[in-house]
Structure formats: C-alpha cells, structure tokens
Amino acid sequence: MLRPLLFLLALVAAPALSAPTSFSQAKRLMFELYTGPLAATSLYCGCPFEAQGRKLVPDLNQCGYQVRKQPVRANRIEWEHVVPAWQFGHQRQCWQNGGRSQCAKDPVFRAMEADLHNLYPAIGEVNGDRSNYRLTVWGGEPNQYGQCQMLVDFKGRRAQPPMAARGPVARATLYMAGQYDLRLSESQEKLMHSWHTMYPADEAECQRHRLVSQRQGHDNPFTAEQCNP
C-alpha cells in the first residue's frame, strides 16, 4: 500500500502540518468548529445541538427525535466515523494482531482515526446503532427514531441514511478510500459515486469543507470539485 506510506512520510517531513494526530485531538477541534462557525446540527437526524460545558447536547424535541432504546446516548452528540474504525482498522496489520487497542501506536491508523474529513456529529444512540454497518439503501421505511429518517437493519448489519446525508457520507467514504488506499467492494464504490453525483454539496457542506480543510491541512477532492467548480 503505497499511499499510506507516502502519507506517513509527509507527516514526518512536515511537522507543522495542522492535521490532528489523535482521535482525542480531532474531537476537540471538531468541538471548536461546531460551537463556533459551523451550523450545529447532527448528520443523520438534522437535530440542533449546543454546548453544555464540554458536552454537546441535542434538542430532540425540535427535530422530532424519539428515543429507540438508549436515552443516555440519545441525549448526547458523539463523533461518528463515516468510514468506521472497524472498517479501516481491519485493513491494518495491528488490528489483525489484537484489535483497535493494538493500533494505538500505528501512525497510519491514528491518522485515519483522527481525519476530520471523516468525522461528523451524530446523535449518540444513532451512532451506536449504526455501529460498523455498511451504509446502503434498500427502500425501507424509517420508523425507529421518530422524525429522524435514519434506518438501521440490525439483522442485516446495514444502515440506510436519509437523503440529506447521502452526499456527505459518499464524499467522506470516497475520500478515505483514496487518501489511505482502503479497499471498497465494487458495489459500495459504485453506490458512493452515485450518491456523490445525485446529492451534490450544498453551501453548508462547502463551508464545513473549507474550515475542516484548513485544520486538516488538505482538502477532500470530491467535495472540493463541487464547492470550487
């Protein structure tokens, strides 16, 4: 895998790069962005949220969210890896040697885990329910979280994101695959390219991309091509 090696060499050669070097650092940076210039709404459910101390708390009533099973996680915002750590971790030898904890010293895994382009705020319960399930569409009728249009098929280990989220998750997925030489299935790659085209970036996504790119040190070319035609 040549791309991760080149990425690692770039980190060594350019210590001033603004990209976060750990997941905890990435979460702090995202907290600053979403309590500052970015619209504080969750990815899959569009729920507004605000800071209460160091926590981000969603207004479930305003977005019509209904708790499915986990009220504690439903009442907090968590940082969702669009491409799950499980998915990119399984393509690293450290994960094969002992799971996520074994990847703590792997600089490529740490870079992937901390990549801001792949991180979005999500209702904690939805983040937990989505788990590492693949994002896809099967025409199911959302009925699990009130007005939130996310749908999770636990038996089939798949999640159907609402239309408003399909463009952003597609561009995050395609970016991660290209940036870190991750393998996608043929069907997944085809679907992500389709969503990328069908659901182009709006001004809110473009603003997020500009600010995240400044912090990350480079852009997401899939978003950039739509925001800077």
Side-chain angles (χ1 to χ4, degrees):
M1 290 189 178
L2 184 59
R3 186 63 178 270
L5 177 59
L6 293 176
F7 181 81
L8 178 57
L9 291 175
L11 288 178
V12 174
L17 191 67
S18 60
T21 58
S22 68
F23 185 33
S24 59
Q25 185 182 11
K27 289 188 288 186
R28 288 194 296 270
L29 287 171
M30 295 305 272
F31 183 98
E32 293 172 4
L33 286 177
Y34 278 92
T35 56
L38 290 181
T41 56
S42 66
L43 174 62
Y44 299 123
C45 300
C47 294
F49 58 85
E50 64 179 8
Q52 294 184 7
R54 298 304 299 172
K55 296 181 180 180
L56 297 175
V57 179
D59 186 339
L60 302 184
N61 291 329
Q62 189 169 332
C63 62
Y65 184 94
Q66 293 181 8
V67 177
R68 184 187 70 83
K69 191 176 181 180
Q70 304 179 69
V72 173
R73 292 189 74 175
N75 281 280
R76 72 188 186 205
I77 291 293
E78 298 177 355
W79 296 104
E80 157 89 332
H81 286 99
V82 173
V83 177
W86 182 93
Q87 183 176 349
F88 57 72
H90 267 72
Q91 298 186 36
R92 303 296 302 164
Q93 186 61 47
C94 58
W95 196 287
Q96 306 300 324
N97 292 341
R100 190 168 185 165
S101 63
Q102 290 298 310
C103 289
K105 295 182 179 180
D106 180 337
V108 176
F109 177 85
R110 285 169 60 87
M112 290 189 284
E113 188 182 38
D115 198 304
L116 303 178
H117 289 299
N118 190 46
L119 286 178
Y120 276 84
I123 299 293
E125 180 177 44
V126 175
N127 181 35
D129 285 355
R130 184 265 164 124
S131 184
N132 55 29
Y133 300 166
R134 70 190 187 280
L135 295 174
T136 186
V137 61
W138 63 91
E141 198 66 35
N143 58 6
Q144 295 165 311
Y145 309 103
Q147 294 179 25
C148 175
Q149 296 296 292
M150 184 70 160
L151 181 61
V152 178
D153 176 5
F154 296 98
K155 185 176 181 180
R157 299 183 61 81
R158 57 184 180 170
Q160 178 177 280
M163 287 186 287
R166 291 176 191 174
V169 301
R171 286 179 278 279
T173 301
L174 294 170
Y175 159 80
M176 290 292 287
Q179 184 71 16
Y180 301 104
D181 197 24
L182 300 179
R183 297 183 299 276
L184 301 178
S185 69
E186 183 178 351
S187 61
Q188 185 181 27
E189 184 172 3
K190 183 178 180 181
L191 179 62
M192 294 301 113
H193 277 289
S194 175
W195 283 357
H196 170 51
T197 301
M198 291 174 61
Y199 306 102
D202 59 16
E203 179 52 37
E205 185 180 350
C206 290
Q207 182 192 24
R208 174 198 145 92
H209 177 257
R210 288 189 291 268
L211 293 171
V212 164
S213 296
Q214 291 172 6
R215 307 300 200 281
Q216 184 66 30
H218 59 265
D219 66 11
N220 175 339
F222 296 93
T223 311
E225 74 178 17
Q226 294 185 344
C227 295
N228 306 296

